[in-house]
Amino acid sequence: MESRGDRHSDIPPLATFRVMAVEIDFEPENGLCIYRITGRVTIDRMMALFARARAHEAWSDEYDFLTLLTRTSLSEMSASAMADLQARMAKADPVTTGPRRRAAIVCDDKLSRAMLAFWEKTSSQTLTTHERVFKTEHDARTWLAEPR
C-alpha cells in the first residue's frame, strides 16, 4: 500500500508553483488553438498570452480553443478577478459575429476546477465563446469535435 505522501509525488505543493509558463500550438486540421499553461495564473499574463496567440501567423479567428491547465494555481484569481478577466477578454476579442466558438478548459486540480465552474457559468453572459470545463483532454476534444 502506498503512503499518502507518495500518492501525488509528481504534483508539487501550492507553494512551489512558479510564474505562469505557456505554450501555444495550433491544429489547423482540427480548427484549434491550444494553450498549455502551468504555474500561477494572473490576468495580465493571460491577456498577454491571448495577444501573442492572435499575433501568430497560424492564428485564425475561426479556431476553437483547448486550454490545458497542468500544475496550475488559480489561487490569485478571485471571483472578481475572473469577472475582470472575462470583461478584458470580451473587449479584446475582435470576433463579434458568426458562429459561437467553443473553448474547452482541462484542469488537473480539483480546487481549480471548482473555481472554473464559476467561470463556466458566468462566461455565457460575457464572452463570445461557449466555455466548458473538463477533467480530461480526451473529454474536451470529444466535445470540441461534436457537430454544432
Side-chain angles (χ1 to χ4, degrees):
M1 182 169 149
E2 69 183 10
S3 72
R4 183 168 193 194
D6 294 335
R7 187 177 322 156
H8 300 291
S9 61
D10 61 326
I11 301 174
L14 184 60
T16 64
F17 282 102
R18 305 278 185 233
V19 173
M20 189 173 103
V22 300
E23 290 179 25
I24 303 169
D25 289 317
F26 297 92
E27 290 181 4
E29 68 277 12
N30 295 318
L32 287 177
C33 173
I34 302 170
Y35 302 114
R36 289 180 175 80
I37 302 171
T38 61
R40 291 180 186 235
V41 174
T42 67
I43 292 173
D44 289 338
R45 291 181 191 133
M46 290 300 291
M47 292 307 297
L49 169 64
F50 300 141
R52 195 170 108 206
R54 282 195 176 95
H56 195 281
E57 64 185 18
W59 175 263
S60 170
D61 283 341
E62 296 177 7
Y63 281 158
D64 287 328
F65 306 96
L66 175 60
T67 302
L68 304 171
L69 303 175
T70 307
R71 294 184 355 240
T72 301
S73 169
L74 298 178
S75 63
E76 296 178 25
M77 297 292 290
S78 64
S80 63
M82 287 189 173
D84 185 33
L85 177 58
Q86 287 179 2
R88 289 178 64 181
M89 288 171 63
K91 185 176 179 181
D93 190 349
V95 180
T96 57
T97 61
R100 192 169 192 182
R101 295 162 298 156
R102 294 178 180 170
I105 304 168
V106 179
C107 183
D108 65 356
D109 178 69
K110 197 176 201 177
L111 175 61
S112 294
R113 268 197 319 274
M115 296 172 72
L116 287 167
F118 171 81
W119 175 272
E120 183 178 329
K121 185 171 178 78
T122 60
S123 65
S124 65
Q125 301 163 14
T126 310
L127 300 177
T128 60
T129 51
H130 179 189
E131 307 270 328
R132 292 269 317 267
V133 178
F134 297 89
K135 290 181 183 178
T136 70
E137 183 175 346
H138 177 267
D139 290 347
R141 284 181 177 273
T142 299
W143 176 71
L144 288 166
E146 288 177 358
R148 295 178 199 259

